[in-house]
Amino acid sequence: MNQFAISAANLVKEFKVNKHVVTAVNGLSLQVAPGETFGLIGPDGAGKTTTTRVILGLLSRTSGESSVLGFDSMNDMYQIRERVGYIAQQFSLPPNLTVMENMLFFAGVHSVDAEEQKKRIPELLAFAGLSEFSNRLAGKLSGGMKKKLALACSLIHEPQVVMLDEPTLGVDPVSRREFWNLLGNLRAEKGLTIFICTPYMDEAERCTRVGLIYEGKLIVDDSPANIKRVIPGHLLEFTPSDFSSALKLCNEMNGVLEVQTYGEKLHVFVDDVLKCKTQIEDALASQGIAYDHLREIEVRMEEAFISLIRRQKESVEQNEMIGEVR
Amino acid sequence: MSAEPFTARNHELPILIQNLTKRFGDFTAVDNVSFNVQSGEVFGWLGPNGAGKTTTIRMLLGLIKPTSGNAFVLGFDSATQTKLVHANVGYMSQQFTLYSDLTAMQNIRFYGGVHGLSSDELRQRIAEIIRTAGLEGRENTLTGSLSGGWKQRLALGCAIVHHPKVVFLDEPTAGVDPISRRQFWELIYQMAKEGVTVLVTTHYMDEAELCQRVGFITGGKLVALDSVSQLKQTQMRGQVLEIGASDPEKAMRILKAAQLNGRIPFDEVALYGAQIHAVMPDAQKYKEAIQRLLMGEDVQVSSIERVAPTLEDVFISSVKAPAAIV
Amino acid sequence: MQLNFQRLAALIRKESIQILRDRRFILLFLGLTIVQLFVYSYSASRSVYHMPMAVVDQSRDATSAAFVQALVNSQYFDVTMYLDDESQAKDAIDKGEVKAALIIPPHFAAEVDQRSANFLMLLDGSDQFAVRSGYSAVGLVAQNFGLQMSAENLALSGAVSSTNHTLPINTFAQVLYNPDMNDKWFVIPGIIGMILQTLAVEQAAIFLVRDREWGTMEQILATPVRQLELILSKLIPLSVLCLLTLGMSVALGIYWFGVPFRGNLFLYFWLALLFLASCLGLGLVISTRVATQFEAEASAMIFMLFGLLLTGLFYPRTGMPLVPQLIGDIAPLTYFLRISRGIYMKGVGLSFVWSDALILVLYTLIVVFISSKRFKMRLD
C-alpha cells in the first residue's frame, strides 16, 4: 500500500491534434500525503486540468506512473472513482435536476444506501448552506452556490480524497472565501486530502503545499512560505510619474534583481534594501521623475509566481541557445 | 449637437452618477447610487455577483433606462443621448467577441469599420494597437490560435479602436494567468496616462488593489468608495490575526468550537494554509485567551500576530454582515 | 461486466427526470409524431381522384353513355366538357383545362356487341400521378364495364390507345389486403416505422453528446458508473418514450385513419422494440463519432432521408440500382417496413417475418458491439 494519497512519477500525457503531438504533461512527479491541501497552480494551458484528469483516470496516460490511494490510475480506475470526490472545471452537474435530485443521483451512483442517504444529504446540504434551496434547479443557482453543490455532491460517498479543478473560477470573492472556509473545515474535521487546481495566487496561500506547474512540469513544490522565501532579495514598490523611463532605469541598475510591473506601480526586487532605495531615489530625482510611496513590501505568492515563471522561461531559452551553439 | 441640454455639458466629469436607481419589479438592483470618476482615473467597481455592478454599467452605457436618477458619461445623459455615449466609450466584457477565424489584424479592421473609421485612421490605429498590445509578428495569425493573454489584449485593442475617452471593462481578466494579467494592467495604465478614464470590474481582489480608487456595491447599495489604502484603514470592521500552531487542524477545531459556543467572538475563523486566520473586533484583547485555549489542549502556538488586512478581507467585511460568514 | 442496480436505477431516474422536465422536448416528441403522421399520410396519397375529363363521344348511343357514366362512378373522373373531335381534346389537355380526354369512336355499341370495341383515352403525361391513376382506373373500369373490353397498351408519351383486341380470357385483378387501394393503408404502417427510426436515431445520437456538451459526462465518468449502466440508462427511458409514441401512432392509424390492424398486436410491439433497439444502437454509434449536438442531428437527418427514399417506404426498392439498395440496407427501417406491413396489413405471424426479425437481431448486436467498443469510460 502506498503511503501517499496521490502520487505521480514521470507522468506524461500526449495529445494528437491534427496529426501533431502536443505534450500537455511532460514528466511530472508529485506526491501528496494524506491530510494535505495541495494546490496545483500555473498559467493557462500549463497542464493543470490534464494532470488532474490523468491522475483520476479520466484520461489515459501516455507513460509514467500515477496512483490515488495506492490504486493505479489506469488499471484500478473504478476503485479510484469509488473513493475520490471530483469537481470538474466547468459546471458539470445536470442543470435540470434540483439540488436534492442531484444529491440523490450522486448518492445512487456511489451506492450509498438509503439509511446513510437520509443522514448524509441533510448534513451536506446544511454544510454547504443549501438546505433552503433543495428544490431549486441546479442550473438556476448562482455561481458560488453551484460550486458548493458540486462540493456537497462530491462528498456524498465520504471520499478520502477530493480533487477540485479550478472550483472558484468566476466566483465572486465572498463565495470564494466561503468555499475555502468549507474546505478548511473538511480538512480540520475529517482530515480530508484536498488536491486543488487554481489560477488565483491568493488561494495558493491557503494550501499547505503548492506545486507550480509550467509547460507540463512541476518547477517548484513546497509550502507557500518556503516558495516566497526562495525568491532572492527584497521587494520595493513605488509609483513613478514616468512609468516607462523609470522601468528602464531600474532594469539597468546595479543590485536590481528583477523588475515587475504592477498597474501604475513598479515592483523592484533588490539585493540590499537601503542601498538600492537610495540609489533609486537618486536616479529618479536626477531624471526628473516624480514618485511616491517608495517602500519595501512583503513578497506575495503572485510576485513569487511571476518571478519563478520568468526564471524558468529564461533557463529554457538559455538551454536552447546553448543547444544552438553546440 | 445643438440639441444637447446646456446643463448636461456642464458636467465635465467622464463618469457622473447621481442618485441612480434601477428596479426590476419588486427587486431593486441599484439603489440610490452616486459617485463620479475623474479624468484619467482607473476606477475599480467591485461587488459580489448580483450586487448591481453590471446593471450600473448597462445604465451608463444607456442599454437600460434608470428608474430614477441620472448617469452621465462625458456630460452626455446615458438615457437620452445614448448614441453620443456609444461614440465616445469603449466597452469590453468577458463575452467580447473576437472572430476566431479572422486574423488579429482583420479583427481590428472589422471593429474599426463598425465604428466608421476612415481607411487612413484605420491604418494608423491598426499599427498602434498591434504595437501596444505586443502583437507584432502575430498580425496575421488567426485569432483562434492566439493564447488567452494575446486574445485579451487584442479584444481590448478592438474595444478601443475608435479612441474612446472612457472605457468600461467588465471582468476583462477572468481566466487569464497572472503574468498576462500584469501585462494587461500595464496597458490599462498606459491608456490612463493618455487621459482615458477606465472603469473596471473584477473578481480578483489582488487586481482591485491596482485601481486608484474603488467602489464596493452590495445589494444595490454603494457601501464604500475610496482609495485602497484608505479603505483598508477605514472599512475593516475587525482585525486579522494570524495564528501559527503545531497542529493547525486541531487548533482549527478548537477555535471553531470556541466561536460556536461564544467563548471568543470571532467574526470568521478559517484555515489558511499552515496558519489560521481569525477576524474579530479586538484582536489584542483576545490574543492571550486564544493562546491559553490552544495550549490548554496541547497545541503549541508558534506565532500569533496581527496582519494587515488584504483588500479581500476589507471587501468581505464591507459587503457582509459578520455573522453570516461561514 | 458488473451491473449494479442501484447505480442503474439512479441513472435511469436522472434521465427520466431530465426527459419529463423538458416540456418542450416532450411536446416536440409527441407533437412532431402526430404532425408527421398527418402530413405524410395525406401528402403521400398519390391517387388522383376527380380528374377533369373531356368526352368526345362520336357514337352517342346508350352503351357509350353508360361507359362514360361508369368512369364517372369510379370517382376518378369528372366530365367537365364535351368536345367534337380528338384535336380539340388534345387542345384542352395542352391548355390544362382537363387531365384526360375520352374519345369514343362511332358505332361503339355495335362494336361492343361484336367484341371489337375500342376507345381512346388521352392522359396528361406531364402529371405522372394523373397518368398512373387514370391509366389504372380506366383499365379497371373498362374491364368491369364489359368483358370484351380491356385497355392495356402503354404509351407514356401522353396517349394511351387501345388497339383492336378480342380477349378470349377474362382478366380479373383482385387487390388483396387493400381492396379499395386506399393509399393511407399502404403508407401508415411504413410512416410509423419511419417516425420511430428518426426519433430513436436522433435522440440516441444527441443524448450522449448533450451530456458531453454540458460537461455532465465528465462528472458522471468520475463516479463508479460502468459503461453498460450508462448506455442502458440512456436507452431504457428512450425506448419507453418511443414505445409510447408507437402506441399513440398505431392508435391514430386505427381510429383516425381507419387502417385496420390485422395482425397480432403483441408480436408487433415486440418486434417494434427490437427495431427500436437497433435504431437506438445506431444512434449511439453516431453519438460516439460526433462532437456536437448539431452534428448528431445532421447525421440523424441523413438516416431520415434514407428512410424516406431508400427503404421502400415510398419508392419500391426492387426498381433501384444496387448502390442505393445497399445504402438502404443500412437503415433498420428497410427490415421493419416489411415486418410492419406484414403484421399490420396482412396479419401474418412470425413465421412470415422471421428473416427480417433475425436481421434486426443481428443488426442490434452489431451496433451495440460497435458503440460499446467506441464508447470509452474516459474522456479521450
Side-chain angles (χ1 to χ4, degrees):
Chain A
M1 186 76 186
N2 201 311
Q3 73 205 61
F4 294 109
I6 298 168
S7 85
N10 298 317
L11 197 62
V12 175
K13 174 65 188 176
E14 288 169 351
F15 289 106
K16 269 213 183 96
V17 182
N18 304 330
K19 291 180 186 162
H20 296 285
V21 174
V22 177
T23 309
V25 180
N26 187 9
L28 176 137
S29 301
L30 60 83
Q31 272 110 29
V32 182
E36 271 193 299
T37 299
F38 181 88
L40 190 62
I41 65 171
D44 282 352
K48 296 191 293 282
T49 298
T50 308
T51 303
T52 312
R53 286 175 172 174
V54 171
I55 290 176
L56 205 55
L58 285 175
L59 286 174
S60 56
R61 67 182 171 226
T62 308
S63 68
E65 298 284 318
S66 59
S67 66
V68 181
L69 297 164
F71 293 105
D72 184 79
S73 307
M74 286 296 284
N75 302 322
D76 313 323
M77 97 186 160
Y78 290 116
Q79 278 92 330
I80 292 177
R81 291 174 189 187
E82 279 159 19
R83 290 166 179 81
V84 176
Y86 173 61
I87 302 185
Q89 183 170 29
Q90 64 179 128
F91 177 69
S92 51
L93 301 181
N96 49 4
L97 295 193
T98 65
V99 168
M100 181 54 89
E101 287 162 352
N102 261 295
M103 295 293 294
L104 288 170
F105 169 63
F106 282 97
V109 293
H110 278 293
S111 307
V112 178
D113 67 49
E115 283 296 304
E116 280 292 307
Q117 288 189 16
K118 267 190 210 122
K119 192 166 84 58
R120 283 187 212 167
I121 291 175
E123 271 177 22
L124 282 169
L125 287 178
F127 158 81
L130 291 169
S131 303
E132 44 188 310
F133 302 105
S134 63
N135 289 321
R136 191 176 288 193
L137 289 183
K140 297 246 149 93
L141 296 173
S142 75
M145 273 156 54
K146 280 180 185 167
K147 295 297 181 176
K148 284 189 268 186
L149 174 61
L151 182 64
C153 287
S154 74
L155 295 172
I156 187 77
H157 54 303
E158 304 206 313
Q160 292 146 273
V161 175
V162 287
M163 298 184 83
L164 316 173
D165 190 3
E166 304 198 2
T168 56
L169 194 72
V171 173
D172 72 59
V174 178
S175 307
R176 218 145 61 85
R177 175 77 69 107
E178 284 171 357
F179 190 86
W180 269 99
N181 289 356
L182 290 178
L183 291 183
N185 293 347
L186 285 172
R187 189 181 129 203
E189 279 148 31
K190 301 220 155 65
L192 197 68
T193 309
I194 299 167
F195 180 99
I196 184 165
C197 302
T198 177
Y200 292 93
M201 291 306 115
D202 51 346
E203 289 187 351
E205 307 222 24
R206 300 197 65 154
C207 301
T208 54
R209 210 149 53 83
V210 166
L212 176 54
I213 184 171
Y214 183 72
E215 296 189 340
K217 277 190 193 126
L218 271 201
I219 57 173
V220 183
D221 177 7
D222 214 329
S223 71
N226 285 342
I227 289 179
K228 285 186 277 187
R229 232 169 272 145
V230 298
I231 304 303
H234 304 270
L235 182 55
L236 292 175
E237 180 188 85
F238 66 99
T239 315
S241 62
D242 183 345
F243 188 82
S244 47
S245 310
L247 177 63
K248 196 159 165 266
L249 204 80
C250 292
N251 262 327
E252 289 162 355
M253 199 173 283
N254 275 332
V256 170
L257 307 169
E258 186 179 345
V259 186
Q260 296 178 3
T261 64
Y262 189 62
E264 60 176 339
K265 301 187 179 91
L266 282 179
H267 278 176
V268 188
F269 286 86
V270 297
D271 53 4
D272 183 328
V273 174
L274 277 181
K275 185 192 85 187
C276 288
K277 203 176 162 190
T278 337
Q279 213 177 321
I280 291 171
E281 280 167 349
D282 292 347
L284 290 173
S286 74
Q287 296 270 320
I289 303 170
Y291 62 93
D292 57 3
H293 304 306
L294 179 55
R295 64 200 172 104
E296 186 185 357
I297 58 165
E298 231 177 292
V299 177
R300 298 175 307 166
M301 270 311 279
E302 184 166 326
E303 282 82 40
F305 174 89
I306 291 171
S307 182
L308 284 164
I309 295 269
R310 271 200 187 167
R311 272 187 275 164
Q312 183 69 20
K313 263 189 192 161
E314 276 160 22
S315 78
V316 169
E317 274 159 24
Q318 256 170 16
N319 286 342
E320 276 168 8
M321 270 162 59
I322 292 166
E324 275 166 29
V325 170
R326 277 175 190 162
Chain B
M1 292 291 243
S2 58
E4 289 163 36
F6 176 68
T7 49
R9 281 308 283 174
N10 272 351
H11 308 295
E12 285 305 330
L13 290 165
I15 296 174
L16 174 64
I17 286 180
Q18 293 172 323
N19 306 102
L20 195 66
T21 299
K22 178 69 192 181
R23 283 192 204 93
F24 297 104
D26 291 339
F27 175 68
T28 307
V30 176
D31 191 357
N32 199 24
V33 167
S34 302
F35 69 87
N36 62 60
V37 182
Q38 305 289 325
S39 190
E41 193 174 16
V42 178
F43 183 81
W45 186 229
L46 314 175
N49 286 333
K53 275 182 312 198
T54 305
T55 309
T56 311
I57 293 182
R58 290 198 178 140
M59 284 191 278
L60 277 166
L61 286 168
L63 300 176
I64 50 176
K65 297 252 182 297
T67 308
S68 65
N70 294 299
F72 297 98
V73 176
L74 295 160
F76 302 117
D77 188 332
S78 300
T80 56
Q81 295 170 294
T82 313
K83 286 227 172 81
L84 288 170
V85 170
H86 284 187
N88 289 290
V89 303
Y91 175 53
M92 174 187 161
S93 70
Q94 241 178 300
Q95 294 86 30
F96 190 88
T97 317
L98 287 173
Y99 296 92
S100 52
D101 49 353
L102 295 185
T103 65
M105 186 150 28
Q106 286 165 337
N107 262 301
I108 304 174
R109 190 169 289 140
F110 169 77
Y111 281 100
V114 169
H115 283 287
L117 263 59
S118 71
S119 58
D120 278 352
E121 282 173 306
L122 201 53
R123 207 170 307 125
Q124 188 200 338
R125 279 304 277 161
I126 288 173
E128 280 173 19
I129 290 167
I130 294 281
R131 195 182 60 245
T132 49
L135 284 163
E136 291 109 330
R138 288 182 171 76
E139 298 93 331
N140 296 316
T141 310
L142 284 186
T143 307
S145 52
L146 290 174
S147 80
W150 300 109
K151 263 190 216 160
Q152 179 210 26
R153 292 197 289 275
L154 176 61
L156 178 64
C158 290
I160 60 164
V161 68
H162 55 304
H163 257 314
K165 294 186 196 71
V166 176
V167 175
F168 295 99
L169 306 173
D170 195 0
E171 286 184 39
T173 56
V176 177
D177 69 78
I179 297 177
S180 303
R181 272 162 54 202
R182 288 270 172 115
Q183 288 170 335
F184 190 76
W185 275 88
E186 236 178 276
L187 279 184
I188 292 181
Y189 270 99
Q190 212 168 312
M191 289 194 303
K193 286 268 146 61
E194 289 159 14
V196 176
T197 306
V198 181
L199 184 143
V200 58
T201 74
T202 177
H203 278 161
Y204 297 86
M205 281 302 120
D206 50 351
E207 198 169 86
E209 303 221 17
L210 293 167
C211 299
Q212 290 162 329
R213 214 152 52 92
V214 298
F216 286 167
I217 182 171
T218 184
K221 288 198 171 71
L222 185 68
V223 291
L225 178 71
D226 215 328
S227 71
V228 172
S229 55
Q230 277 293 312
L231 283 178
K232 282 183 179 173
Q233 284 168 26
T234 59
Q235 284 296 313
M236 190 66 195
R237 271 202 292 266
Q239 292 156 355
V240 186
L241 210 54
E242 189 175 86
I243 304 157
S246 55
D247 182 348
E249 289 83 9
K250 189 176 173 192
M252 176 65 195
R253 287 195 293 272
I254 298 165
L255 295 179
K256 191 89 199 170
Q259 180 192 25
L260 289 175
N261 67 26
R263 204 163 147 192
I264 299 170
F266 292 119
D267 287 341
E268 185 183 356
V269 55
L271 272 170
Y272 214 85
Q275 277 91 35
I276 292 170
H277 275 196
V279 182
M280 73 191 87
D282 192 349
Q284 211 57 34
K285 191 172 139 198
Y286 289 100
K287 230 166 138 175
E288 287 280 304
I290 291 168
Q291 214 156 356
R292 248 182 289 122
L293 181 68
L294 291 176
M295 302 284 248
E297 304 249 12
D298 281 336
V299 177
Q300 298 303 311
V301 177
S302 54
S303 66
I304 178 163
E305 56 187 314
R306 257 187 78 178
V307 293
T310 62
L311 189 59
E312 187 180 298
D313 291 320
V314 178
F315 178 78
I316 284 166
S317 173
S318 303
V319 302
K320 279 201 92 167
I325 292 174
V326 182
Chain C
M1 188 115 209
Q2 303 106 310
L3 190 65
N4 174 311
F5 283 100
Q6 191 186 359
R7 285 198 297 255
L8 183 60
L11 284 163
I12 290 178
R13 208 178 114 93
K14 163 192 167 272
E15 297 296 339
S16 311
I17 294 172
Q18 287 186 302
I19 289 175
L20 291 177
R21 193 149 285 157
D22 195 346
R23 292 256 164 77
R24 271 187 22 222
F25 171 74
I26 298 263
L27 275 177
L28 214 66
F29 210 100
L30 299 181
L32 264 185
T33 303
I34 295 173
V35 169
Q36 286 189 69
L37 212 52
F38 274 77
V39 169
Y40 283 122
S41 57
Y42 283 121
S43 70
S45 290
R46 279 169 301 160
S47 293
V48 180
Y49 293 98
H50 301 288
M51 252 181 277
M53 177 177 70
V55 172
V56 181
D57 188 353
Q58 293 161 342
S59 183
R60 293 177 198 274
D61 51 37
T63 315
S64 69
F67 182 59
V68 170
Q69 193 52 48
L71 283 173
V72 171
N73 287 347
S74 76
Q75 306 272 324
Y76 282 93
F77 304 98
D78 286 345
V79 179
T80 53
M81 53 176 77
Y82 284 91
L83 301 170
D84 295 335
D85 57 34
E86 191 182 323
S87 66
Q88 279 183 358
K90 279 186 176 155
D91 231 37
I93 292 177
D94 284 347
K95 287 182 188 150
E97 291 169 347
V98 291
K99 291 273 178 208
L102 175 70
I103 294 126
I104 302 177
H107 320 299
F108 186 66
E111 282 179 0
V112 165
D113 291 341
Q114 293 163 19
R115 300 182 147 220
S116 63
N118 47 42
F119 65 91
L120 178 66
M121 188 69 161
L122 297 172
L123 289 162
D124 183 352
S126 68
D127 182 339
Q128 62 157 327
F129 296 124
V131 168
R132 280 197 203 146
S133 297
Y135 180 69
S136 55
V138 82
L140 279 169
V141 171
Q143 255 184 9
N144 290 345
F145 179 72
L147 299 174
Q148 313 92 322
M149 267 188 283
S150 75
E152 262 188 329
N153 220 339
L154 287 176
L156 285 175
S157 59
V160 182
S161 65
S162 94
T163 45
N164 201 347
H165 259 347
T166 354
L167 276 183
I169 306 162
N170 297 328
T171 315
F172 287 101
Q174 191 192 349
V175 179
L176 292 171
Y177 318 124
N178 191 358
D180 296 337
M181 298 243 300
N182 187 329
D183 285 309
K184 288 191 192 71
W185 288 31
F186 184 68
V187 159
I188 285 209
I191 292 289
I192 292 175
M194 199 205 70
I195 291 171
L196 281 184
Q197 175 177 280
T198 309
L199 283 178
V201 172
E202 186 184 11
Q203 292 308 317
I206 287 173
F207 250 46
L208 278 177
V209 181
R210 194 179 63 180
D211 269 356
R212 226 177 291 148
E213 273 192 289
W214 279 356
T216 322
M217 189 52 80
E218 184 175 358
Q219 200 69 55
I220 292 171
L221 285 183
T223 69
V225 166
R226 303 301 199 272
Q227 188 198 40
L228 183 62
E229 294 159 0
L230 194 56
I231 290 179
L232 284 179
S233 77
K234 299 285 177 195
L235 297 191
I236 291 172
L238 266 184
S239 304
V240 172
L241 197 59
C242 287
L243 277 181
L244 283 176
T245 312
L246 176 71
M248 187 184 75
S249 310
V250 171
L252 269 176
I254 296 172
Y255 297 109
W256 179 270
F257 295 105
V259 185
F261 194 94
R262 293 214 171 85
N264 182 338
L265 207 58
F266 192 66
L267 175 68
Y268 183 70
F269 270 85
W270 272 113
L271 291 176
L273 192 60
L274 179 63
F275 166 62
L276 279 178
S278 59
C279 293
L280 292 170
L282 178 65
L284 280 183
V285 173
I286 294 175
S287 81
T288 60
R289 298 206 70 109
V290 296
T292 62
Q293 287 197 42
F294 176 74
E295 277 178 48
E297 270 171 53
S299 313
M301 282 324 265
I302 291 173
F303 274 89
M304 184 176 145
L305 271 182
F306 286 0
L308 274 174
L309 304 175
L310 304 178
T311 58
L313 178 57
F314 291 136
Y315 306 102
R317 276 166 60 80
T318 38
M320 283 178 200
L322 185 64
V323 175
Q325 275 202 42
L326 287 177
I327 296 174
D329 287 345
I330 303 173
L333 182 59
T334 303
Y335 313 102
F336 184 67
L337 207 56
R338 293 197 286 255
I339 296 177
S340 185
R341 282 179 179 156
I343 300 178
Y344 201 128
M345 291 177 68
K346 300 183 195 170
V348 299
L350 188 60
S351 53
F352 289 89
V353 293
W354 68 270
S355 58
D356 284 313
L358 187 67
I359 294 174
L360 282 182
V361 171
L362 289 174
Y363 194 106
T364 308
L365 290 177
I366 291 170
V367 285
V368 168
F369 177 76
I370 295 175
S371 61
S372 69
K373 278 286 152 209
R374 292 197 51 87
F375 181 69
K376 297 279 184 327
M377 291 305 277
R378 298 184 200 275
L379 291 165
D380 50 359

